[in-house]
Amino acid sequence: MPLGEEVVSTAQGGNTAGRHPCPCSVQARPCPPSHNVPCRFVAAFGAGFCATEVASPVDVVKTRCMNGSPGQYRNALSCLLALLMQDGPAGLYKGFVPSLLRLGSWNVVMFVSYERLQRLMVLARPALA
């Protein structure tokens, strides 16, 4: 189904389940400007930010537990409570920027490379048949 028909079908309540979300990446034609590298760059870095925001408190508590002297913390909960008493809630995000730079840059490289390789595979598929 051409792109225009799919848009009309979706707008009219048609079911597009099972179809690739971007028909231009399956067909051998250029993606629209909204699907360019800067857009993917920002999306990948945003995903890295979200992952770092969720994982950073757990990582800080784990690191404190592992680096503490034997018997300093009974379990992860006691480590968390000690951290909150000592540093407050901001203590859960110590080392956030280095972690964000590491995970954000990794996401950018991985997702942009994945999209490019996927596009090359789609373009090479007719030659393989």
Side-chain angles (χ1 to χ4, degrees):
M1 170 184 302
L3 180 61
E5 289 177 22
E6 185 174 23
V7 170
V8 171
S9 172
T10 305
Q12 294 171 349
N15 183 7
T16 60
R19 294 194 188 116
H20 196 278
C22 179
C24 58
S25 65
V26 176
Q27 300 168 2
R29 62 181 178 171
C31 287
S34 63
H35 296 181
N36 57 14
V37 173
C39 178
R40 290 184 174 126
F41 182 93
V42 170
F45 201 79
F49 177 82
C50 292
T52 304
E53 187 177 23
V54 169
S56 187
V58 176
D59 193 37
V60 169
V61 170
K62 177 197 68 116
T63 303
R64 289 262 178 125
C65 284
M66 291 178 69
N67 291 336
S69 60
Q72 184 176 0
Y73 305 111
R74 289 179 306 167
N75 53 31
L77 185 60
S78 69
C79 181
L80 173 66
L81 292 174
L83 178 111
L84 288 173
M85 296 283 274
Q86 182 181 3
D87 297 330
L92 292 171
Y93 291 96
K94 283 190 173 186
F96 182 82
V97 173
S99 183
L100 172 63
L101 293 176
R102 178 186 56 85
L103 192 57
S105 62
W106 183 88
N107 271 353
V108 167
V109 170
M110 196 273 295
F111 281 117
V112 171
S113 299
Y114 173 77
E115 292 290 336
R116 289 294 171 184
L117 288 172
Q118 184 182 27
R119 176 114 171 106
L120 288 173
M121 294 299 289
V122 167
L123 293 174
R125 186 173 297 164
L128 295 175

